[in-house]
Every structure is written in structure tokens, then in C-alpha cells.
Amino acid sequence: MWNNWQYRVLAILLALACWYVVSGQEKVETWLEVPLEFVNLPPRMEITSGLVSKLQVRIRGTSNQVRSLNVGRLAYKLDLGKINVGTNVIPLVPESMTITSAVEVVEISPTRLELVADVVVSKTVPVKLDWAGLPGDDVQFRNATVFPDTVTITGFASSLESLNSIPTALVQVPPDESLTASGRARLLMPKDVRTPVSSVSYELQFGLTTQELWVKMNLEPVRYETFSYTFEPKFVRIKLEIPVRLLKDKDWRESLHLMIDPGSNPAIGQSVIAPVPRFPEGVSILEAKPEEIEIVVQRNDEFVP
């Protein structure tokens, strides 16, 4: 019985070899995870939504062929050369992925991608200074300057389409009675929008709140020793712009003086001159009736140099 054991071992080995050969040719299916690679993306265009990094791929082939695959070198290459700005529905089809001629790609999951694409653009917009407060009572805003007053911003076209200015962080004016406020303000940039400038300098200018009114004022002569003069009329009516805070002083009229001053060396005889105002800061003449005064200058004979 044991004399032919060699033949029995050989038979077993031949059976195993046949089984291995037959089983290696058996058709099998399996799922693989492969990376998704994008190619030919147009310049300055980016994918903003819908990106995936991996795909599930179902393949069919013999056991030997499937086992011999180098999975690390497999990838699905998606051509984006014809992608448009906006939403793009792109099918993922097995025919677009070839592994080997012997292994068939049966199915891909997901079957399609919805990619949202946008293009990167730049444009120049003004800076909008955001501020609040006043430095004191009876004060009004006059002017604001910002430097730089425009900035170049870069971002997706969809984000920049409705963006017409860039605001600053809120500037709170201190109540210090000063008529100017200056400093630097940080720019508030929307998401996904960039600019090389992070802050701007600013200056706010304020003025006293004023009121216009007509006033009748007597003309006050300036006296000189070397000559004398007469003038007509003795008063004028003037329209003034006066700070409201001055009008709150009951004696505000006492601070206004309108002088007749021909100077230290006037021409002898008749001439006309304009009255010289001596007013507190912030008071100005808008209109005068009359605007010029007739004067007659005479030399003082009794004056001895």
C-alpha cells in the first residue's frame, strides 16, 4: 500500500496546481477606493464647492488580475478644460477610467459631481469710513478724508460683483471739544476677499454750528495823532454767520466790533474804505449794507513830529 506513496503525493500536487490555475481564472468583482485628480483647470478659475478626493470603483476581472493590481497607482482623472463659472454637473462614467485591458471598470460611485466654479478677479473700490459721535455740543460735521481712499481687492467674481466699497471698523469720535479727529482705521474685509492694505489713515473735520442773522452795528473809528477824519454813514447793517454757542452768551453783542481804520498814512482828502471786523473766532460777515464807507481825511496842523 505504501509502495506507491510517491505517486499519491504527485497526484495531490497536480490537483492543487490545477485548482490554483482554475481558481486564478475565476471572474470576481470587488470595490476599490481611488483618488480623484483634476486636470486642465482654466487659469484663475477655482472649484468652490462639490470637491471630493476619493471615488468608489467596482471592477471585474480574474482573481489573479485583481490581486496583481497596484492600487496605489490608480486614479480617476477628471478633465475640467470645459468647465464654466457656476454649477457644472459632470458625469463620472466607467469608460473614462482604464485600469488594464484585462480588468473592466463596471461602476463608479458617485455617478456624477456637481462642481461650482468661480473665477478670481480684481477691481478697485472706494474705502467707506464708518464713524460716530461728535466732539462737543453745537458742533457739526464738515469733511472727512481717507488715505488711501481706494483699494484694489481680489476674490471670486461672484463675491465681488455686488461689492462696491470696503468699510472700516467703527471710529468713535472722542468728546474732547476738538474740531478734528484723526488716526488709523482697520478695513473690514468680507470672506474670501483679499487686499494688500489692512488699514487706512483718516481725518474728520468739524465746525461750530452757526446761525445767520442781520445786525445793525455802529462803526468805531481808530484814532491817529497825525490826522483826523470824518466818515458817513455812522452805522451799517451786516448779515453775520455766528456760532450758536456764542449766541447763548447774553452779552454776545459786546464782543463784536466793526472798525473804521484808514491806516497810519492815508491819502489826504476823500476816499472810501471797507470796515474792518474784530469778531470772535467763528464769526464771519456774509453781507454788508453798505459795503464801503466814505471818509474825508484832514491833516492835524497842530501835530509836531
Side-chain angles (χ1 to χ4, degrees):
M1 176 178 175
W2 297 102
N3 293 333
N4 59 351
W5 64 268
Q6 298 94 339
Y7 299 106
R8 292 176 181 271
V9 172
L10 180 61
I12 293 173
L13 292 176
L14 289 174
L16 289 174
C18 291
W19 174 84
Y20 179 80
V21 171
V22 172
S23 64
Q25 300 302 314
E26 181 185 4
K27 290 288 185 178
V28 296
E29 291 186 1
T30 187
W31 285 93
L32 300 177
E33 186 177 70
V34 301
L36 177 63
E37 296 180 359
F38 298 106
V39 295
N40 297 330
L41 184 65
R44 301 182 65 83
M45 187 171 286
E46 296 184 18
I47 306 300
T48 62
S49 178
L51 283 174
V52 297
S53 60
K54 300 286 186 179
L55 297 177
Q56 298 295 322
V57 178
R58 184 160 65 97
I59 62 172
R60 179 188 298 143
T62 66
S63 299
N64 289 339
Q65 292 167 339
V66 171
R67 283 195 298 267
S68 65
L69 286 177
N70 187 349
V71 180
R73 301 182 62 181
L74 299 181
Y76 188 102
K77 296 184 183 297
L78 186 61
D79 190 348
L80 299 181
K82 297 182 179 180
I83 199 169
N84 298 314
V85 173
T87 301
N88 300 260
V89 179
I90 302 177
L92 302 177
V93 294
E95 292 79 7
S96 298
M97 182 177 180
T98 301
I99 297 179
T100 67
S101 58
V103 176
E104 177 187 4
V105 178
V106 180
E107 183 181 353
I108 295 178
S109 179
T111 59
R112 66 176 189 173
L113 295 179
E114 291 190 8
L115 301 181
V116 179
D118 211 338
V119 63
V120 178
V121 297
S122 297
K123 73 175 185 178
T124 300
V125 296
V127 175
K128 182 181 180 182
L129 180 65
D130 187 11
W131 63 276
L134 291 171
D137 296 331
D138 303 320
V139 174
Q140 60 185 352
F141 170 71
R142 290 288 176 83
N143 187 42
T145 56
V146 178
F147 182 81
D149 57 359
T150 62
V151 292
T152 299
I153 56 177
T154 302
F156 294 125
S158 58
S159 300
L160 269 57
E161 182 179 2
S162 59
L163 195 59
N164 297 317
S165 63
I166 295 296
T168 68
L170 179 64
V171 173
Q172 188 68 45
V173 178
D176 56 4
E177 299 296 330
S178 174
L179 295 182
T180 61
S182 60
R184 295 197 66 85
R186 179 172 54 88
L187 294 178
L188 299 180
M189 302 301 299
K191 183 181 178 182
D192 297 329
V193 177
R194 305 178 299 276
T195 181
V197 179
S198 61
S199 64
V200 295
S201 61
Y202 69 87
E203 181 175 275
L204 294 165
Q205 297 177 343
F206 302 91
L208 298 176
T209 303
T210 60
Q211 180 177 330
E212 297 179 5
L213 72 162
W214 283 93
V215 177
K216 180 180 179 181
M217 294 193 64
N218 293 325
L219 298 173
E220 304 176 33
V222 177
R223 303 296 181 181
Y224 291 90
E225 294 181 355
T226 57
F227 62 90
S228 61
Y229 60 93
T230 59
F231 58 90
E232 289 291 339
K234 303 298 183 183
F235 63 87
V236 295
R237 294 182 66 250
I238 56 175
K239 185 179 182 181
L240 296 177
E241 185 178 31
I242 304 179
V244 172
R245 62 174 55 176
L246 178 62
L247 293 175
K248 293 180 179 180
D249 184 352
K250 63 177 181 168
D251 297 324
W252 65 270
R253 284 180 175 267
E254 303 300 325
S255 64
L256 304 179
H257 301 278
L258 202 57
M259 314 303 295
I260 294 296
D261 186 1
S264 60
N265 188 27
I268 303 301
Q270 185 175 341
S271 61
V272 293
I273 62 173
V276 179
R278 293 182 181 174
F279 298 158
E281 183 179 1
V283 181
S284 59
I285 298 177
L286 302 178
E287 189 177 347
K289 296 182 179 180
E291 294 183 352
E292 294 182 324
I293 306 300
E294 293 185 359
I295 67 171
V296 178
V297 179
Q298 296 178 335
R299 187 176 301 277
N300 291 338
D301 294 335
E302 66 276 10
F303 175 75
V304 177

